[in-house]
Amino acid sequence: MRITPLAMASLPLAAFAANGAETTLARPDIILFMVDDMGWQDTSVPFGPDTTRYNRMFETPNMERLARSGMKFTQAYACSISSPTRCSLITGANNARHRVTNWTLQRDTSTDIEVDSITLPEWNVNGVQQVEGVPHTYVGRSFVDLLRNSGYHTIHCGKAHFGAIDTPGENPSHWGFEVNIAGHAGGGLATYLSEKNYGHNPDGTPYSLLAVPGLDKYWGSGTFATEALTREALKALGKAKKYGQPYILYMSHYAVHIPVDRDERFYQKYIDKGLPPKDAAYASLVEGMDKSLGDIMDWVEKEGRPDNTIIIFMSDNGGLATQPEWRDGELYTQNSPLRCGKGSLLEGGVREPMIVRWPGVTEPASVTDNYVMIEDFYPTILDMAGVDMPHDPVHVVDGVSFSDILHGADRGEQEREIIWNFPNVWGNNGPGINLNCAIRRGPWKLIYNYATGEKELYNIPSDISETVNEARSRPELVKFLSERLGKRLRDMNAQRPSFTDSGRPCPWPDEI
Amino acid sequence: MRITPLAMASLPLAAFAANGAETTLARPDIILFMVDDMGWQDTSVPFGPDTTRYNRMFETPNMERLARSGMKFTQAYACSISSPTRCSLITGANNARHRVTNWTLQRDTSTDIEVDSITLPEWNVNGVQQVEGVPHTYVGRSFVDLLRNSGYHTIHCGKAHFGAIDTPGENPSHWGFEVNIAGHAGGGLATYLSEKNYGHNPDGTPYSLLAVPGLDKYWGSGTFATEALTREALKALGKAKKYGQPYILYMSHYAVHIPVDRDERFYQKYIDKGLPPKDAAYASLVEGMDKSLGDIMDWVEKEGRPDNTIIIFMSDNGGLATQPEWRDGELYTQNSPLRCGKGSLLEGGVREPMIVRWPGVTEPASVTDNYVMIEDFYPTILDMAGVDMPHDPVHVVDGVSFSDILHGADRGEQEREIIWNFPNVWGNNGPGINLNCAIRRGPWKLIYNYATGEKELYNIPSDISETVNEARSRPELVKFLSERLGKRLRDMNAQRPSFTDSGRPCPWPDEI
C-alpha cells in the first residue's frame, strides 16, 4: 500500500476541524493489551479445538471473560521473537521488509550468535525509527502518531522495545505516545521484584540494562512489576477520562518474559494444584497478567465507556520452550499441541492467543479461524479509530486490516500470504529455530532453511503439530510456495545469509 | 495566515523522505531559553540607550556573552502575564484571539478577581489545547509538533503552563515534546529549594499545586531548582546528540518567578555589594538563571554544534513591581526607566530582554530597535528550521516571522500593529494593570481602559517611561489608533467586560 502526500495531510486536520467534542468522543477508546512471550496454550481459554492439559493448568479467568464478550482468533500470528514483532506492530511493515530480524538492545550491536560456515547478513540492529539519520534502522511511521494527530490521547505502559539504546526510537514518545510508563529500549526486565527495585541498586543506579525505569515509587513496596504497571496504567486512564479525548492504551506487559519470578499472590495455589515449582511460578506470572487484564476491564466497566471501548489481547511470540532453567517438562513441548516455541517458525513460535472485543461489532463468544499477522494490527486499529490510512511515497504498510473479520466475515481465503524471515541465529536451538524463512498460504506452511536448503511443508489445519512434512509428496506445491516466498522476500528487499567458504549468498527458496 | 490541507501534509513526509541524515543535520539546533517574570532591567546587559543602575546591580555575564555573539532586541514584547504569553508562543495566536487572558491553573476555574460595577467576560480559563473537546479553551497547533513531524527531537525543560490541570494541554507531550522535564499545568513553583523537595512532603505527596514534578532525585540534595533543571537539560542534550536529529530545547526556567528564594551560590555577593536582602535574593535568582544559560552555551561549544545552534533568549512578561514582600524599592519602579511591571500594559509589563544568536545570520553584538511580539516566535522558529508554515483552514497564526530582522533588515516600520487585550482583573493593582487593551503602531502606543473609557497615548521611542500622555493633544491619532485597535479586537473575536448595572458591554475603543 503506497501513497500520495495528500491523504496524510488530512489527518492532523481532523483533530482541529472536523472533530468537535461529540465527534471525537464518538470514536472508540482502544486498549491494546500485549503480553510478552506468552504461548498459545498459556491460558485457560482453549484456542484450539480441544481443551488441553495446559488449558487446565493455567487460570486466566479474565481472558475467559474477554473471550465471552468478544471474538477469539485461533490462528493469529506474530514473529518468532519480540523485536521483529514490535517493529512490525508499530510500523505496519513485515519483518522481511524492516529487517529487524533478531532482538535489539545496544546501539550498533548485533545480538546474533556466530556460527560455523554461515556468515550472517547485516540486519537492522538499531530497530526502527520515525526519522532518518540512524544507521542500521528501518524508518517507518507509527500508527500511534497517526492516532495522536487525529485527536487520540496516547498512553504507553510497559515494554516498548522499538529502538536500541541511544537511538530516537528507544523513547515511546518518539512514536507518538504522550504518556510513557516504564518503556525504553529494553525488551525484557531485570526482575519483577520491587525488593530488587526492578533492577536498581539501593543508590538508584541500574545494575542491568534491563532495569525497569519509571517505577521508583514502588521500590521496596512488595509490588510485583505487573501490578505496578497496572496501577500506573489505571491512573493514566483516569487522566484520559478527564481529557475528553478518545484514548489508546498500549498496555504492553513485561510479563510473562523471563526471569520467571514468582508472583506470590498466586504461586502457592499452583503448588497446591500439584504443579512443579517452575511451572507454578510461570503460572503465577500468567495469572498476575490476567489480573491486570481484569483490573483494566473493571475500570472500563465502572469508569470508562464499556459500550465504546475496544480491547485487543495479543502476545508477541510463542511461549519459551527451549530453556529448562525456566520451565518444567520436556524441551519444545510447552506450547503443545503446537511444536516448539519462541524463536521457531513452527506454530509454537508464532501462533498467539488473540481476542478482540469491539462492542457492537464482534459477536460475543465468537470464534474465527481466519489467519491474521501482527502487521495487520496497524491498519485495523486505524480502521477502528476512523483514521484514514496514510498514503506516503516511502512508508509501506504490509498489514491488511482484519476489520472485516471482526464484523463477521469469513474470508475463506486461500491466497493471503503471510511471511517470516529469520536469517539470524538466536541464542537458543530447537526445531524451526534459526536461519530460515517461511510462508503461510491457505492451509499450507512452507519453512525453508537457508543453511541446509531443507524445506518443510505442513498442512496446518489438519496437522496442527506439524509432524508430517509433506514436502516430498507434494513437489509442485513446494515449488509454487517457494516461488511465492522467494518473490515476496526479494520484493521486500529481505536479507539472507551467505556461505562463509564461498562467500556466496545462500539460495533464495526458489533457487534450490 | 490561512491554509489548504496540502501544505500541512507535506510536513511529515519531510522526515521520512526528503531528509536523509545529512539534510536533517544541516538544519540548526534551536535553544529557546525562556525566563519567567524577568524584567527588561534585570540584567547587566543594557537593553536601553543607557546603562542603568539596575544594569549595574544585576550580574548576568552569560547574557553579556550571548549579546556579544548575537543580536539584541530593544523592543521585544510579550503579554503582561504568563499564560497569555505562553499560549501565544505555542499556538502563534495573539492573546485577543486565544482569549487566555488571565493566568490558568485549575480546570474550569477563573483566577479573575471580582470587582464592583464591572462584570468580567468569560475567558479561556483552561488555556490552550491541540484537540477539541475541552470547554473554555482555544484550539491551536504547536510549532513544536510541526518541528517534531519534520524530524526534530523536541525537549521541554521547566515551566509549561499551557493548559489547566486535567486538560490535555497540561502535558508538554501533548504539544509535541518528546522529553518533558518538570513541566505541568503550574505557572510557578512552590519553592526552588531541594530542602523542601520543591513542594513535596517527606512522603512524596505534593503540598502545593505548584510542586515541581520530576525532580525527585534532587530532593534534599541542596540543589537549587534552577540548577537541577539545567543538569537535566544537559542530560537531554547529551541524548539528543546521540540521536542524530536536530533538536529544539525549550529551556523554560521557573526562575525568576516568586517565591524569591535565595540562591545561596550568589546571594552573599549581592549583600556584599550593598543590596538590601530582597533585592539581593532576587539578584541571586537572576544570576542562577544566567549560570544556566552559560552552562548550556558551554555544552553547545564543547559538545554541540556551535556553528549551527541558534540560541534565543526571552522573558514572558515584565518584572514583578507590585509586591513589596518580594522586592525592595518603591512600588512600580523595578523596571525603571520602564513604568510599572508584570500585569501592566505599560512598557514595564510587556517589554522583554531578548537576544538571538543565529550563527552565520545575526551580526555579532548587533542591536535592533524593530519591535517584535511573542507570537512572532512561532513562524520565526519554523523559518529557522526550514519548516513550511502550516496552512490550515482553522488554525490562524497571527505572528509574523522576524527572520528578516535577524538577517539584518531594518523594517523602518510604521504599520505593523501589535495588540494586547486584558479585559480581566489580575491579583495586583498599579498603573496600566487590569481591564484594558492596547495597540502599538510605529512609535505610538494607545492604552484603553474598558471600565473608565480612559485613553492614554505615548510616543514610546521619545518617552520610554510613558510619562507624557498625548491623548488630549492628538485627537486624530487617538481616533485612528482606537479604530485600528477596535477593528483588530473584533476581527479576532476578542472578549470584553460589561457594566454590571446596565448589563451592557463596555464600549470598544472606537465606540467612545
Side-chain angles (χ1 to χ4, degrees):
Chain A
M1 191 169 299
R2 293 179 179 270
I3 342 215
T4 77
L6 297 175
M8 182 177 278
S10 67
L11 290 171
L13 298 178
F16 305 116
N19 294 310
E22 285 179 76
T23 313
T24 300
L25 276 175
R27 296 196 287 165
D29 295 331
I30 301 172
I31 296 169
L32 174 53
F33 193 99
M34 176 72 76
V35 189
D36 202 26
D37 283 9
M38 182 185 175
W40 195 60
Q41 288 291 309
D42 299 345
T43 167
S44 51
V45 175
F47 281 88
D50 306 309
T51 299
T52 65
R53 76 175 185 91
Y54 283 124
N55 297 148
R56 286 183 291 268
M57 174 172 133
F58 292 102
E59 299 187 20
T60 56
N62 293 295
M63 287 182 68
E64 294 176 35
R65 174 179 163 200
L66 183 62
R68 280 195 299 275
S69 72
M71 177 178 284
K72 193 165 73 173
F73 283 70
T74 65
Q75 298 195 84
Y77 287 114
C79 305
S80 64
I81 62 169
S82 172
S83 288
T85 286
R86 307 283 171 156
C87 295
S88 287
L89 174 67
I90 202 72
T91 66
N94 181 269
N95 64 96
R97 186 185 304 280
H98 65 55
R99 289 184 170 209
V100 187
T101 45
N102 207 343
W103 61 282
T104 62
L105 182 58
Q106 297 195 75
R107 185 170 172 142
D108 301 334
T109 306
S110 175
T111 52
D112 273 331
I113 304 297
E114 303 258 325
V115 289
D116 289 340
S117 75
I118 296 291
T119 301
L120 300 175
E122 293 218 337
W123 59 284
N124 282 328
V125 301
N126 288 328
V128 291
Q129 320 291 332
Q130 284 207 133
V131 294
E132 304 280 356
V134 176
H136 310 300
T137 197
Y138 175 81
V139 175
R141 187 161 200 205
S142 157
F143 72 94
V144 179
D145 222 31
L146 301 171
L147 291 178
R148 176 177 172 275
N149 279 351
S150 82
Y152 269 76
H153 179 52
T154 54
I155 306 164
H156 181 281
C157 182
K159 167 171 162 172
H161 206 202
F162 301 123
I165 293 171
D166 288 342
T167 69
E170 72 174 337
N171 181 350
S173 298
H174 175 79
W175 297 101
F177 287 106
E178 294 172 328
V179 175
N180 170 32
I181 301 161
H184 67 144
L189 77 180
T191 170
Y192 293 88
L193 302 179
S194 70
E195 295 79 353
K196 297 181 181 174
N197 299 340
Y198 312 118
H200 295 81
N201 297 307
D203 70 1
T205 57
Y207 63 74
S208 162
L209 290 177
L210 301 182
V212 182
L215 297 181
D216 314 33
K217 75 178 73 155
Y218 295 95
W219 292 3
S221 68
T223 312
F224 208 69
T226 308
E227 179 70 20
L229 292 173
T230 306
R231 290 187 198 166
E232 291 301 298
L234 293 177
K235 266 189 239 172
L237 290 182
K239 268 289 184 191
K241 179 178 178 179
K242 291 177 176 161
Y243 285 175
Q245 298 173 268
Y247 65 78
I248 179 165
L249 166 63
Y250 178 43
M251 182 72 222
S252 175
H253 273 292
Y254 283 101
V256 297
H257 196 286
I258 58 168
V260 184
D261 291 322
R262 295 175 186 175
D263 190 331
E264 296 289 358
R265 298 173 295 175
F266 306 104
Y267 177 71
Q268 190 58 42
K269 182 174 70 173
Y270 291 99
I271 291 292
D272 293 346
K273 278 178 78 169
L275 266 63
K278 291 173 194 165
D279 275 2
Y282 188 71
S284 78
L285 262 190
V286 169
E287 188 165 351
M289 171 282 296
D290 183 80
K291 175 190 181 288
S292 171
L293 175 65
D295 289 349
I296 290 171
M297 290 170 73
D298 287 348
W299 186 92
V300 169
E301 284 170 20
K302 289 174 194 151
E303 303 288 334
R305 299 189 293 145
D307 296 339
N308 203 12
T309 300
I310 297 170
I311 301 177
I312 307 169
F313 184 101
M314 183 63 171
S315 174
D316 70 340
N317 50 246
L320 190 67
T322 55
Q323 296 188 27
E325 63 269 41
W326 295 116
R327 287 295 302 275
D328 295 294
E330 291 295 305
L331 274 177
Y332 318 136
T333 66
Q334 283 73 13
N335 301 286
S336 174
L338 305 186
R339 191 168 156 215
C340 204
K342 180 176 181 179
S344 175
L345 296 189
L346 292 163
E347 295 286 294
V350 295
R351 197 192 285 213
E352 312 304 333
M354 175 178 164
I355 308 168
V356 181
R357 171 191 181 276
W358 185 354
V361 173
T362 51
E363 196 71 33
S366 57
V367 181
T368 180
D369 295 326
N370 289 269
Y371 51 81
V372 297
M373 179 59 169
I374 189 66
E375 56 258 30
D376 299 346
F377 282 56
Y378 186 117
T380 306
I381 291 172
L382 292 183
D383 269 357
M384 289 167 164
V387 172
D388 288 338
M389 189 76 150
H391 289 271
D392 179 310
V394 175
H395 182 51
V396 178
V397 170
D398 293 304
V400 178
S401 172
F402 52 81
S403 174
D404 57 329
I405 299 174
L406 297 171
H407 280 84
D410 182 353
R411 291 176 179 169
E413 65 197 329
Q414 299 294 317
E415 294 181 4
R416 169 80 197 275
E417 292 170 351
I418 291 175
I419 73 163
W420 294 263
N421 193 38
F422 196 84
N424 300 67
V425 178
W426 188 47
N428 295 250
N429 290 312
I433 297 179
N434 297 334
L435 293 167
N436 52 7
C437 55
I439 182 170
R440 169 84 194 254
R441 183 182 161 117
W444 297 99
K445 185 161 79 180
L446 178 84
I447 304 176
Y448 166 71
N449 188 293
Y450 285 111
T452 64
E454 188 194 1
K455 292 177 181 175
E456 298 169 73
L457 178 70
Y458 300 107
N459 185 306
I460 300 300
S462 68
D463 179 24
I464 196 172
S465 300
E466 293 166 291
T467 53
V468 182
N469 178 358
E470 301 192 39
R472 292 211 170 187
S473 60
R474 296 182 182 268
E476 286 306 310
L477 188 54
V478 168
K479 183 167 182 289
F480 174 70
L481 291 175
S482 295
E483 285 169 359
R484 292 301 308 161
L485 178 55
K487 178 177 182 346
R488 296 293 301 273
L489 290 170
R490 288 187 296 272
D491 284 353
M492 291 190 197
N493 196 26
Q495 86 280 35
R496 54 179 164 160
S498 53
F499 298 110
T500 305
D501 284 350
S502 66
R504 294 171 61 184
C506 300
W508 292 119
D510 50 352
E511 292 175 341
I512 188 170
Chain B
M1 190 168 299
R2 291 176 182 272
I3 348 219
T4 76
L6 295 175
M8 183 176 279
S10 67
L11 291 171
L13 297 178
F16 305 116
N19 293 310
E22 286 179 77
T23 314
T24 301
L25 275 176
R27 296 196 287 166
D29 295 331
I30 301 171
I31 296 170
L32 175 52
F33 193 98
M34 176 72 77
V35 189
D36 202 26
D37 282 10
M38 180 184 177
W40 195 61
Q41 288 292 309
D42 299 345
T43 167
S44 51
V45 174
F47 281 87
D50 306 310
T51 298
T52 66
R53 76 174 184 90
Y54 283 123
N55 297 150
R56 286 185 289 269
M57 173 172 135
F58 293 102
E59 299 186 20
T60 57
N62 293 294
M63 286 182 68
E64 293 176 35
R65 175 179 161 199
L66 183 63
R68 281 195 300 273
S69 72
M71 179 179 282
K72 193 165 72 172
F73 283 70
T74 64
Q75 297 196 86
Y77 287 115
C79 305
S80 64
I81 61 169
S82 172
S83 289
T85 286
R86 308 282 171 157
C87 295
S88 286
L89 173 67
I90 202 73
T91 66
N94 180 269
N95 64 97
R97 186 185 305 281
H98 64 56
R99 289 185 170 207
V100 186
T101 45
N102 207 342
W103 61 283
T104 62
L105 182 59
Q106 299 195 75
R107 185 170 172 142
D108 300 334
T109 306
S110 174
T111 53
D112 273 332
I113 305 296
E114 304 257 326
V115 288
D116 288 340
S117 76
I118 296 291
T119 300
L120 299 175
E122 292 219 336
W123 59 284
N124 282 328
V125 300
N126 288 327
V128 291
Q129 320 290 333
Q130 284 207 134
V131 294
E132 304 280 355
V134 176
H136 311 299
T137 197
Y138 174 81
V139 175
R141 187 162 201 206
S142 157
F143 71 94
V144 179
D145 222 32
L146 300 171
L147 291 178
R148 176 178 172 273
N149 278 352
S150 82
Y152 269 75
H153 179 53
T154 54
I155 306 165
H156 180 282
C157 183
K159 166 171 162 172
H161 206 202
F162 301 123
I165 294 170
D166 289 342
T167 69
E170 72 173 335
N171 181 349
S173 298
H174 175 78
W175 297 101
F177 288 106
E178 295 172 328
V179 175
N180 170 30
I181 301 161
H184 66 144
L189 78 180
T191 169
Y192 292 89
L193 303 178
S194 69
E195 295 80 353
K196 298 180 182 174
N197 300 340
Y198 312 118
H200 295 82
N201 297 308
D203 69 0
T205 56
Y207 63 73
S208 161
L209 291 177
L210 300 183
V212 182
L215 298 181
D216 314 33
K217 74 178 74 156
Y218 296 95
W219 292 4
S221 68
T223 312
F224 208 70
T226 308
E227 179 70 21
L229 292 173
T230 305
R231 290 188 198 167
E232 291 302 298
L234 293 177
K235 267 189 239 172
L237 289 182
K239 268 287 184 193
K241 180 179 178 178
K242 290 178 177 162
Y243 285 174
Q245 297 172 269
Y247 65 78
I248 178 165
L249 166 64
Y250 178 44
M251 183 71 221
S252 176
H253 273 291
Y254 283 101
V256 297
H257 196 285
I258 58 168
V260 185
D261 291 323
R262 296 176 186 174
D263 190 332
E264 297 290 359
R265 299 173 295 176
F266 308 103
Y267 177 71
Q268 189 59 41
K269 181 174 70 173
Y270 291 97
I271 291 291
D272 294 345
K273 278 176 78 168
L275 267 62
K278 290 173 195 164
D279 276 1
Y282 187 71
S284 78
L285 262 190
V286 169
E287 188 165 350
M289 172 282 295
D290 183 79
K291 176 190 180 288
S292 172
L293 175 64
D295 289 348
I296 289 170
M297 290 170 73
D298 287 347
W299 186 92
V300 169
E301 283 170 19
K302 289 174 196 153
E303 304 286 333
R305 298 189 294 146
D307 295 339
N308 203 11
T309 300
I310 297 170
I311 301 177
I312 308 169
F313 184 100
M314 184 64 173
S315 173
D316 70 339
N317 50 246
L320 190 67
T322 54
Q323 297 187 27
E325 63 269 42
W326 296 116
R327 287 296 302 274
D328 295 294
E330 292 294 306
L331 273 178
Y332 319 135
T333 66
Q334 284 73 13
N335 301 286
S336 173
L338 306 185
R339 192 168 156 216
C340 205
K342 180 176 182 179
S344 175
L345 296 188
L346 292 162
E347 294 288 293
V350 295
R351 196 191 286 212
E352 312 304 333
M354 175 177 165
I355 308 168
V356 181
R357 171 192 181 277
W358 184 355
V361 173
T362 50
E363 196 70 34
S366 57
V367 181
T368 180
D369 295 327
N370 288 269
Y371 51 81
V372 296
M373 179 58 168
I374 188 66
E375 56 258 31
D376 299 345
F377 283 55
Y378 185 117
T380 306
I381 291 172
L382 292 182
D383 269 357
M384 290 168 163
V387 172
D388 288 339
M389 190 76 151
H391 289 269
D392 179 311
V394 175
H395 181 51
V396 178
V397 170
D398 293 305
V400 177
S401 173
F402 53 81
S403 175
D404 58 327
I405 299 173
L406 297 172
H407 281 83
D410 182 353
R411 290 176 178 170
E413 66 198 329
Q414 299 294 317
E415 295 181 3
R416 169 82 198 274
E417 294 171 349
I418 291 175
I419 73 163
W420 294 263
N421 193 38
F422 195 85
N424 300 66
V425 178
W426 188 47
N428 295 250
N429 291 312
I433 296 179
N434 297 333
L435 293 167
N436 52 7
C437 54
I439 182 169
R440 168 82 194 256
R441 181 180 162 118
W444 297 99
K445 185 162 80 179
L446 179 83
I447 304 176
Y448 167 71
N449 188 292
Y450 285 110
T452 64
E454 187 193 1
K455 292 178 181 175
E456 297 168 74
L457 178 70
Y458 299 107
N459 185 305
I460 300 299
S462 68
D463 179 24
I464 197 172
S465 300
E466 294 166 291
T467 53
V468 183
N469 178 359
E470 301 192 40
R472 292 211 171 185
S473 59
R474 295 181 181 268
E476 287 305 309
L477 187 54
V478 168
K479 182 167 183 290
F480 174 70
L481 290 175
S482 295
E483 284 169 358
R484 293 301 308 160
L485 178 55
K487 176 177 183 344
R488 296 294 301 272
L489 290 171
R490 288 188 296 273
D491 283 353
M492 292 190 197
N493 196 27
Q495 85 280 34
R496 55 179 163 159
S498 53
F499 299 109
T500 305
D501 284 350
S502 66
R504 294 171 61 184
C506 300
W508 291 118
D510 50 350
E511 293 175 341
I512 188 171

